[in-house]
Amino acid sequence: MRERPKIKDIAKRAGVSVATVSRALSDSTLVTAETRQRIHDLARELNYRPNVSARNLRTRKSMSVLLVVRDVGNPFYLDILKGVEATAREAGYSVLMGNTENDSARETEYFHMLRDGHADGMILMTGKLPAAGGNWSGAPTRVPVVVALEIIEGAGLPHVQVDNAGAAREAVEHLISLGHRRIAHISGPVPELMSLHRREGYRQAMRDAGLEVPDAYEVRGDYLLESGQQCCRALFTLPEPPTALFVANDEMAYGAAYELRRMGRDVPGDVSVVGFDDLYLSKAFYPPLTTVSQPRAEIGHAAMELLLKILSGAEIDCDEPIILPTVLHIRGSTAPPQG
Amino acid sequence: MRERPKIKDIAKRAGVSVATVSRALSDSTLVTAETRQRIHDLARELNYRPNVSARNLRTRKSMSVLLVVRDVGNPFYLDILKGVEATAREAGYSVLMGNTENDSARETEYFHMLRDGHADGMILMTGKLPAAGGNWSGAPTRVPVVVALEIIEGAGLPHVQVDNAGAAREAVEHLISLGHRRIAHISGPVPELMSLHRREGYRQAMRDAGLEVPDAYEVRGDYLLESGQQCCRALFTLPEPPTALFVANDEMAYGAAYELRRMGRDVPGDVSVVGFDDLYLSKAFYPPLTTVSQPRAEIGHAAMELLLKILSGAEIDCDEPIILPTVLHIRGSTAPPQG
DNA sequence: TTGAAAGCGCTAACAG
DNA sequence: CTGTTAGCGCTTTCAA
């Protein structure tokens, strides 16, 4: 095995100039079909692969995008990643994962990566912009950033999301239609938009059904398992505990269901539980969890598609978010209230 | 805001040459501490960031590594990724995710990325080498590849792994110590080394305890939920069904437990179940799953550490794999056999 | 200690 | 259709 061949080597062997080789390799019509073929054959024979750094430097593109999330460890993002990845690789892009852990230093770091040529664009799923960031207010569509899943208000950035409030409302309506009246809500960290929206959907459904929501029926969690347990415990020390729970995500719903069992209450016999997210194994849970399913892969797909459009220089309307439909999966964790 | 500043701009403003700026920025001792400081200040002021493509081209390094898995969608890899990522970023490296989906074309594609400058090294977790790959047999330690989790025999590549057989043996011994005699095993896709090893551990434990393993007590799954259900069904149509199950991974264990409930059998009352992997939510499962926990983050950490060492030119002993310890978490899904 | 200059491998004017 | 040439922005000899 010799050294890595470069374009020059192919040119030499083919008796043409490097320019011709470059053109042939990119299937330019400025080259005879015949020489083009010859070059391609030669390239394969020599096992030639273009040097990406050189190409990137020259073209000022990296052909990769950044997918930035709050916590790579969360399985929830997996299907989104898959959607993004599939769409990206089809278009010749690679995907770089960014993990902020809610650390603003890292958030800005990823924005820097955009500027320093690491990536051409990015899909933001953190729900916020770095503090003293750059000037992405000036020419909205020119900044290759799309926000997915979460919402960043007033940034003039394009969005791909689901109707969190509507989906939450639907979930709670399901509980109401089952006959439940005392329905409590374990929310996410509520100053956050997504948590706010889900809670709003809960409130709407309750209001529309003429049901009152005692303050104590809204407990604030943080989307983690333990928090689901804690909130559940708080709820069931109440003088009038709820007969049903609408939990802002599956993970906390698991925690709540676990705690209910520990307290000797049956799900759904004594208490019904609805989650949100439809995690991969939620259907194998016991009892199978009734939950709102987000089209995760499609979210990833749509976000990448949008980014691709921006990257190709198209003008994007940032005022109209792309809203993808959710579906409520009714499974074993909900039933009419007893007695 | 003006154009992106380059080294030349800083040089002009500072009244020095580009070479000096480059040196100052890389904290070379060939520059006066004073000018070095001045350059740094200027760089910050101008919001300068080096262009990675240019640097990569020049230094022939990309400062990123490839983490190649069979299925990015599998939550199992998440903690490993976190471990890899943390160690990588500490050393100034980025992590590129590679997803093969068991497609050999994609497997080779990732090896190509190594050659074409996309990444400097890779961590392989697919358990196999691309078919007609390159010459990574020649000078073992010179190929910046480390195999983690899985095992690739005879490739002379460094390994980071756990003692699958030993861990499996321990799990089955737990079942035996509980008093179980009829213990069945739902394995992974057995020509694969990892599945083989776990099955081997099961057999050893059974043999050591003087217990016989009827052929029908070993069923082959594929690590997925449905397969756990199917295998479980097969096992319990046997004239003498087992009283305990050692399942090769948690996901199939979920499937099996789910199926047992559907068949009206209580876990662990009627049947004990042990899994392998300790997925994030296994402890919230009902009943909490007894399972073998692998030190996932540490595996990622160790693999990256090893890769870093190779990348720095150190000689690596490929014959001695790094073996990380597992721990058996005894939870609610195992109990003595009834009656 | 600093500067001038030569590329890294590739693409894209510009000429022919 | 093809070749010549000029960089992309950076690092690193080699001289001073």
Side-chain angles (χ1 to χ4, degrees), chain B residues 6-7 22-23 48 55 58:
Chain B
K6 31 184 123 173
I7 261 192
S22 174
R23 290 189 190 106
Y48 169 79
R55 169 180 295 171
R58 184 59 231 238

Side-chain angles (χ1 to χ4, degrees), chain B residues 284-298:
Chain B
F285 210 69
Y286 180 75
L289 196 66
T290 293
T291 187
V292 175
S293 177
Q294 306 194 46
R296 289 196 283 274
E298 283 72 24

Side-chain angles (χ1 to χ4, degrees), chain B residues 256-320:
Chain B
Y258 183 85
E259 199 60 22
L260 284 167
R261 268 181 236 113
R262 281 208 3 180
M263 299 187 302
R265 308 198 188 228
D266 183 59
V267 176
D270 300 316
V271 183
S272 286
V273 176
V274 179
F276 203 116
D277 279 353
D278 194 23
L279 289 189
Y280 177 43
L281 292 172
S282 287
K283 59 178 181 297
F285 210 69
Y286 180 75
L289 196 66
T290 293
T291 187
V292 175
S293 177
Q294 306 194 46
R296 289 196 283 274
E298 283 72 24
I299 291 175
H301 171 74
M304 187 64 213
E305 201 93 282
L306 196 53
L307 186 52
L308 248 20
K309 223 183 259 176
I310 295 174
L311 253 17
S312 75
E315 287 289 314
I316 295 298
D317 177 13
C318 296
D319 302 324
E320 273 309 313

Side-chain angles (χ1 to χ4, degrees), chain A residues 6-7 22-23 48 55 58:
Chain A
K6 35 183 117 171
I7 260 191
S22 174
R23 290 190 192 106
Y48 169 79
R55 169 181 293 172
R58 185 59 231 237

Side-chain angles (χ1 to χ4, degrees), chain A residues 181-183 202 206 211-218 238 240:
Chain A
R181 293 293 168 262
R182 300 208 308 275
I183 304 171
Y202 158 74
M206 295 297 274
L211 297 173
E212 218 178 317
V213 178
D215 281 353
Y217 268 27
E218 283 182 355
L238 254 30
E240 264 214 325

Side-chain angles (χ1 to χ4, degrees), chain B residues 40-180:
Chain B
H40 268 117
D41 292 346
L42 209 46
R44 176 152 316 123
E45 184 191 330
L46 295 181
N47 201 6
Y48 169 79
R49 298 223 103 210
N51 176 310
V52 291
S53 301
R55 169 180 295 171
N56 291 350
L57 174 58
R58 184 59 231 238
T59 60
R60 295 151 166 293
K61 304 209 298 178
S62 65
M63 293 308 279
S64 56
V65 299
L66 221 43
L67 179 62
V68 181
V69 301
R70 232 191 278 273
D71 171 23
V72 262
N74 193 327
F76 178 78
Y77 296 116
L78 250 25
D79 290 332
I80 300 188
L81 169 59
K82 282 185 103 163
V84 171
E85 220 259 347
T87 313
R89 75 178 292 113
E90 229 167 85
Y93 280 82
S94 313
V95 180
L96 258 48
M97 278 296 287
N99 188 24
T100 68
E101 317 251 352
N102 275 324
D103 175 354
S104 63
R106 292 174 69 168
E107 282 162 8
T108 35
E109 181 55 32
Y110 289 113
F111 269 84
H112 284 325
M113 290 179 68
L114 240 54
R115 302 209 321 129
D116 64 23
H118 250 115
D120 300 332
M122 99 175 177
I123 297 175
L124 240 197
M125 310 208 292
T126 62
K128 51 180 168 169
L129 249 23
N135 57 333
W136 28 79
S137 40
T141 68
R142 303 312 320 259
V143 185
V145 175
V146 358
V147 180
L149 216 52
E150 308 266 351
I151 300 164
I152 300 178
E153 281 179 321
L157 258 17
H159 281 74
V160 175
Q161 54 186 98
V162 299
D163 177 8
N164 282 290
R169 180 157 22 85
E170 191 186 348
V172 176
E173 279 165 359
H174 162 62
L175 255 12
I176 293 172
S177 77
L178 245 24
H180 290 278

